[in-house]
Amino acid sequence: MQHQEIPHVKRIETSREDAVAFEVTGHITAADVENLYGLLDGIYVVHDKIDLLVLIHHYEGFDWTAAFREGTIAGKTSALKHIRKYAVVGGPSWMSTTLAFFRPFLSIEMKHFALEEQEEAWKWLGAEPRPIE
């Protein structure tokens, strides 16, 4: 029997079509990053502007080589054109500092929330997670 890797990036259904959320867990690989940008590209076809929430928990690291791959850089560039609000919930302690550093250079409203502030992040985004039916 072949061992199947559990996806580290999962989409969370939301109460608004133009509000997109992802749950990120474990060690993030290049394949996870490419999957995330692929999902976002599909959403941009339907919605030119979106609000994005990324929930990070049980973080175990990031494959930094993924950040500098050509496809990842193209995905980031594309994302910058389409995101209005970007909420990051949880993650490592450096996440808040990183968002604060980039905030003045981007037209995206960005905010970091502690994991226990998840409800506040959803309110800031103006959406709610929708239970899986």
Side-chain angles (χ1 to χ4, degrees):
M1 190 161 110
Q2 189 176 357
H3 172 72
Q4 183 136 5
E5 187 71 28
I6 296 170
H8 298 267
V9 177
K10 289 187 257 181
R11 180 141 183 214
I12 300 169
E13 293 299 320
T14 72
S15 58
R16 287 182 22 225
E17 284 189 21
D18 64 340
V20 180
F22 293 98
E23 177 182 33
V24 178
T25 59
H27 182 85
I28 309 310
T29 66
D32 295 321
V33 173
E34 287 174 20
N35 179 39
L36 177 72
Y37 284 125
L39 290 168
L40 285 171
D41 282 342
I43 294 163
Y44 302 149
V45 170
V46 180
H47 300 284
D48 185 51
K49 295 289 184 183
I50 64 166
D51 295 330
L52 177 64
L53 182 140
V54 177
L55 171 64
I56 304 169
H57 60 89
H58 298 96
Y59 177 78
E60 295 174 5
F62 180 77
D63 179 359
W64 286 101
T65 59
F68 301 103
R69 284 185 159 182
E70 190 175 326
T72 304
I73 293 168
K76 285 180 190 171
T77 304
S78 178
L80 293 175
K81 297 177 202 168
H82 297 282
I83 298 173
R84 287 182 301 243
K85 284 180 127 177
Y86 179 34
V88 177
V89 181
S93 57
W94 53 262
M95 195 68 70
S96 182
T97 305
T98 303
L99 283 178
F101 175 80
F102 285 107
R103 193 176 295 123
F105 304 105
L106 304 172
S107 61
I108 300 169
E109 282 185 70
M110 295 187 287
K111 193 166 181 179
H112 181 261
F113 297 85
L115 199 52
E116 55 274 4
E117 296 174 318
Q118 184 177 161
E119 193 173 313
E120 187 181 324
W122 282 104
K123 285 179 185 171
W124 181 78
L125 203 69
E128 296 175 348
R130 228 175 39 205
I132 298 171
E133 298 170 4

mmCIF file of all heavy atoms in Angstrom, residues 54-71:
data_model
loop_
_atom_site.group_PDB
_atom_site.id
_atom_site.type_symbol
_atom_site.label_atom_id
_atom_site.label_comp_id
_atom_site.label_asym_id
_atom_site.label_seq_id
_atom_site.Cartn_x
_atom_site.Cartn_y
_atom_site.Cartn_z
ATOM 1 N N VAL A 54 -5.802 33.113 5.746
ATOM 2 C CA VAL A 54 -4.977 31.912 5.832
ATOM 3 C C VAL A 54 -4.822 31.571 7.305
ATOM 4 O O VAL A 54 -4.303 32.373 8.084
ATOM 5 C CB VAL A 54 -3.597 32.113 5.164
ATOM 6 C CG1 VAL A 54 -2.740 30.867 5.330
ATOM 7 C CG2 VAL A 54 -3.765 32.440 3.684
ATOM 8 N N LEU A 55 -5.316 30.393 7.662
ATOM 9 C CA LEU A 55 -5.258 29.891 9.033
ATOM 10 C C LEU A 55 -4.082 28.917 9.137
ATOM 11 O O LEU A 55 -4.067 27.898 8.447
ATOM 12 C CB LEU A 55 -6.578 29.188 9.370
ATOM 13 C CG LEU A 55 -6.645 28.412 10.682
ATOM 14 C CD1 LEU A 55 -6.491 29.343 11.866
ATOM 15 C CD2 LEU A 55 -7.959 27.659 10.762
ATOM 16 N N ILE A 56 -3.097 29.255 9.947
ATOM 17 C CA ILE A 56 -1.891 28.429 10.071
ATOM 18 C C ILE A 56 -1.823 27.843 11.473
ATOM 19 O O ILE A 56 -1.831 28.582 12.458
ATOM 20 C CB ILE A 56 -0.617 29.270 9.820
ATOM 21 C CG1 ILE A 56 -0.690 29.961 8.445
ATOM 22 C CG2 ILE A 56 0.634 28.401 9.921
ATOM 23 C CD1 ILE A 56 0.387 31.005 8.236
ATOM 24 N N HIS A 57 -1.767 26.504 11.552
ATOM 25 C CA HIS A 57 -1.578 25.879 12.864
ATOM 26 C C HIS A 57 -0.750 24.610 12.708
ATOM 27 O O HIS A 57 -0.605 24.083 11.601
ATOM 28 C CB HIS A 57 -2.917 25.625 13.566
ATOM 29 C CG HIS A 57 -3.847 24.737 12.837
ATOM 30 N ND1 HIS A 57 -3.858 23.373 12.993
ATOM 31 C CD2 HIS A 57 -4.805 25.010 11.920
ATOM 32 C CE1 HIS A 57 -4.789 22.861 12.217
ATOM 33 N NE2 HIS A 57 -5.368 23.826 11.553
ATOM 34 N N HIS A 58 -0.185 24.162 13.795
ATOM 35 C CA HIS A 58 0.729 23.019 13.794
ATOM 36 C C HIS A 58 1.833 23.206 12.757
ATOM 37 O O HIS A 58 2.214 22.278 12.056
ATOM 38 C CB HIS A 58 -0.034 21.701 13.567
ATOM 39 C CG HIS A 58 -1.029 21.417 14.642
ATOM 40 N ND1 HIS A 58 -2.359 21.739 14.513
ATOM 41 C CD2 HIS A 58 -0.881 20.877 15.862
ATOM 42 C CE1 HIS A 58 -3.003 21.390 15.613
ATOM 43 N NE2 HIS A 58 -2.121 20.862 16.450
ATOM 44 N N TYR A 59 2.313 24.442 12.654
ATOM 45 C CA TYR A 59 3.353 24.808 11.687
ATOM 46 C C TYR A 59 4.655 24.090 12.027
ATOM 47 O O TYR A 59 5.113 24.113 13.156
ATOM 48 C CB TYR A 59 3.554 26.328 11.731
ATOM 49 C CG TYR A 59 4.645 26.846 10.835
ATOM 50 C CD1 TYR A 59 4.435 26.995 9.474
ATOM 51 C CD2 TYR A 59 5.887 27.198 11.350
ATOM 52 C CE1 TYR A 59 5.425 27.483 8.642
ATOM 53 C CE2 TYR A 59 6.884 27.681 10.529
ATOM 54 C CZ TYR A 59 6.650 27.821 9.176
ATOM 55 O OH TYR A 59 7.642 28.304 8.364
ATOM 56 N N GLU A 60 5.239 23.448 11.019
ATOM 57 C CA GLU A 60 6.490 22.705 11.223
ATOM 58 C C GLU A 60 7.605 23.163 10.295
ATOM 59 O O GLU A 60 8.626 22.497 10.164
ATOM 60 C CB GLU A 60 6.238 21.207 11.011
ATOM 61 C CG GLU A 60 5.305 20.617 12.042
ATOM 62 C CD GLU A 60 4.952 19.171 11.726
ATOM 63 O OE1 GLU A 60 5.494 18.597 10.771
ATOM 64 O OE2 GLU A 60 4.110 18.622 12.463
ATOM 65 N N GLY A 61 7.401 24.276 9.614
ATOM 66 C CA GLY A 61 8.449 24.792 8.744
ATOM 67 C C GLY A 61 7.977 24.991 7.322
ATOM 68 O O GLY A 61 6.852 24.651 6.953
ATOM 69 N N PHE A 62 8.866 25.562 6.527
ATOM 70 C CA PHE A 62 8.552 25.954 5.164
ATOM 71 C C PHE A 62 9.743 25.625 4.283
ATOM 72 O O PHE A 62 10.897 25.863 4.658
ATOM 73 C CB PHE A 62 8.277 27.469 5.142
ATOM 74 C CG PHE A 62 7.945 28.020 3.794
ATOM 75 C CD1 PHE A 62 6.696 27.829 3.239
ATOM 76 C CD2 PHE A 62 8.886 28.746 3.073
ATOM 77 C CE1 PHE A 62 6.385 28.346 1.992
ATOM 78 C CE2 PHE A 62 8.582 29.271 1.839
ATOM 79 C CZ PHE A 62 7.327 29.069 1.291
ATOM 80 N N ASP A 63 9.474 25.069 3.123
ATOM 81 C CA ASP A 63 10.514 24.779 2.144
ATOM 82 C C ASP A 63 10.861 26.098 1.449
ATOM 83 O O ASP A 63 10.181 26.514 0.522
ATOM 84 C CB ASP A 63 9.987 23.741 1.139
ATOM 85 C CG ASP A 63 11.001 23.404 0.068
ATOM 86 O OD1 ASP A 63 12.110 23.971 0.073
ATOM 87 O OD2 ASP A 63 10.670 22.567 -0.788
ATOM 88 N N TRP A 64 11.912 26.768 1.922
ATOM 89 C CA TRP A 64 12.247 28.099 1.424
ATOM 90 C C TRP A 64 12.623 28.112 -0.043
ATOM 91 O O TRP A 64 12.509 29.136 -0.711
ATOM 92 C CB TRP A 64 13.341 28.731 2.283
ATOM 93 C CG TRP A 64 12.774 29.155 3.599
ATOM 94 C CD1 TRP A 64 12.873 28.508 4.788
ATOM 95 C CD2 TRP A 64 11.941 30.300 3.851
ATOM 96 N NE1 TRP A 64 12.155 29.168 5.758
ATOM 97 C CE2 TRP A 64 11.595 30.275 5.217
ATOM 98 C CE3 TRP A 64 11.462 31.335 3.057
ATOM 99 C CZ2 TRP A 64 10.785 31.246 5.784
ATOM 100 C CZ3 TRP A 64 10.663 32.310 3.634
ATOM 101 C CH2 TRP A 64 10.331 32.257 4.996
ATOM 102 N N THR A 65 13.054 26.982 -0.594
ATOM 103 C CA THR A 65 13.345 26.942 -2.034
ATOM 104 C C THR A 65 12.060 27.182 -2.828
ATOM 105 O O THR A 65 12.100 27.695 -3.943
ATOM 106 C CB THR A 65 13.984 25.601 -2.458
ATOM 107 O OG1 THR A 65 13.092 24.538 -2.135
ATOM 108 C CG2 THR A 65 15.315 25.384 -1.773
ATOM 109 N N ALA A 66 10.914 26.844 -2.244
ATOM 110 C CA ALA A 66 9.627 27.059 -2.916
ATOM 111 C C ALA A 66 9.348 28.545 -3.110
ATOM 112 O O ALA A 66 8.713 28.939 -4.090
ATOM 113 C CB ALA A 66 8.499 26.436 -2.100
ATOM 114 N N ALA A 67 9.811 29.367 -2.201
ATOM 115 C CA ALA A 67 9.541 30.803 -2.261
ATOM 116 C C ALA A 67 10.207 31.465 -3.469
ATOM 117 O O ALA A 67 9.763 32.519 -3.921
ATOM 118 C CB ALA A 67 10.013 31.476 -0.976
ATOM 119 N N PHE A 68 11.253 30.854 -3.974
ATOM 120 C CA PHE A 68 12.013 31.486 -5.048
ATOM 121 C C PHE A 68 11.883 30.770 -6.388
ATOM 122 O O PHE A 68 12.577 31.104 -7.337
ATOM 123 C CB PHE A 68 13.480 31.605 -4.631
ATOM 124 C CG PHE A 68 13.630 32.414 -3.382
ATOM 125 C CD1 PHE A 68 13.870 31.795 -2.167
ATOM 126 C CD2 PHE A 68 13.461 33.788 -3.402
ATOM 127 C CE1 PHE A 68 13.973 32.541 -1.002
ATOM 128 C CE2 PHE A 68 13.550 34.536 -2.242
ATOM 129 C CZ PHE A 68 13.814 33.913 -1.031
ATOM 130 N N ARG A 69 10.981 29.820 -6.479
ATOM 131 C CA ARG A 69 10.709 29.158 -7.755
ATOM 132 C C ARG A 69 9.968 30.120 -8.670
ATOM 133 O O ARG A 69 9.178 30.948 -8.218
ATOM 134 C CB ARG A 69 9.841 27.920 -7.547
ATOM 135 C CG ARG A 69 10.593 26.762 -6.999
ATOM 136 C CD ARG A 69 9.666 25.580 -6.962
ATOM 137 N NE ARG A 69 10.460 24.368 -6.928
ATOM 138 C CZ ARG A 69 9.947 23.175 -6.927
ATOM 139 N NH1 ARG A 69 8.648 23.022 -6.981
ATOM 140 N NH2 ARG A 69 10.714 22.119 -6.885
ATOM 141 N N GLU A 70 10.182 29.952 -9.948
ATOM 142 C CA GLU A 70 9.557 30.841 -10.925
ATOM 143 C C GLU A 70 8.033 30.855 -10.801
ATOM 144 O O GLU A 70 7.404 31.905 -10.821
ATOM 145 C CB GLU A 70 9.968 30.418 -12.332
ATOM 146 C CG GLU A 70 9.560 31.415 -13.389
ATOM 147 C CD GLU A 70 10.085 31.034 -14.763
ATOM 148 O OE1 GLU A 70 11.193 30.469 -14.840
ATOM 149 O OE2 GLU A 70 9.373 31.296 -15.731
ATOM 150 N N GLY A 71 7.425 29.677 -10.651
ATOM 151 C CA GLY A 71 5.969 29.592 -10.531
ATOM 152 C C GLY A 71 5.441 30.282 -9.284
ATOM 153 O O GLY A 71 4.386 30.908 -9.303
#
